[in-house]
Amino acid sequence: MEIHVYDTYVKAHDNHVMHFDVFTASKDSEQAIQYAKQWLSSIGESDALVSSKECRFCHTQQAPANVIDTINRQGYFIYKMEGCPA
């Protein structure tokens, strides 16, 4: 399965920057932004600003099995990088 990667940088409520990727099955920037907002809300960061400025299409790649399983279950996968909770 090919996935589309959206590189995302947002400021948390304490002003530190969180860097994460949103992986989706469809190349739809608006949907990726909604998924980012959904995930941010789930970690207590519902006030974080997410727009096409903070969440941008980066590339398309093949996905490993665990990513495919998560996308099939919830529609997206979040790949956490700098500043994200464990």
Side-chain angles (χ1 to χ4, degrees):
M1 169 186 220
E2 281 195 335
I3 57 165
H4 307 285
V5 178
Y6 291 83
D7 197 29
T8 309
Y9 291 85
V10 300
K11 279 195 179 180
H13 66 274
D14 66 359
N15 278 333
H16 83 275
V17 175
M18 291 188 291
H19 178 202
F20 58 93
D21 285 344
V22 180
F23 295 172
T24 65
S26 61
K27 190 175 176 185
D28 181 340
S29 296
E30 287 303 314
Q31 186 64 63
I33 290 167
Q34 291 306 311
Y35 288 145
K37 288 179 179 181
Q38 183 177 340
W39 179 73
L40 287 163
S41 181
S42 78
I43 62 165
E45 294 288 348
S46 57
D47 292 335
L49 176 64
V50 185
S51 70
S52 59
K53 181 179 176 188
E54 292 81 22
C55 183
R56 296 182 182 177
F57 175 75
C58 185
H59 65 277
T60 300
Q61 68 182 49
Q62 289 295 334
N66 67 313
V67 171
I68 293 168
D69 290 343
T70 302
I71 289 173
N72 286 337
R73 219 173 41 270
Q74 70 183 22
Y76 66 96
F77 180 91
I78 299 295
Y79 182 76
K80 299 179 225 174
M81 290 180 271
E82 297 88 17
C84 295

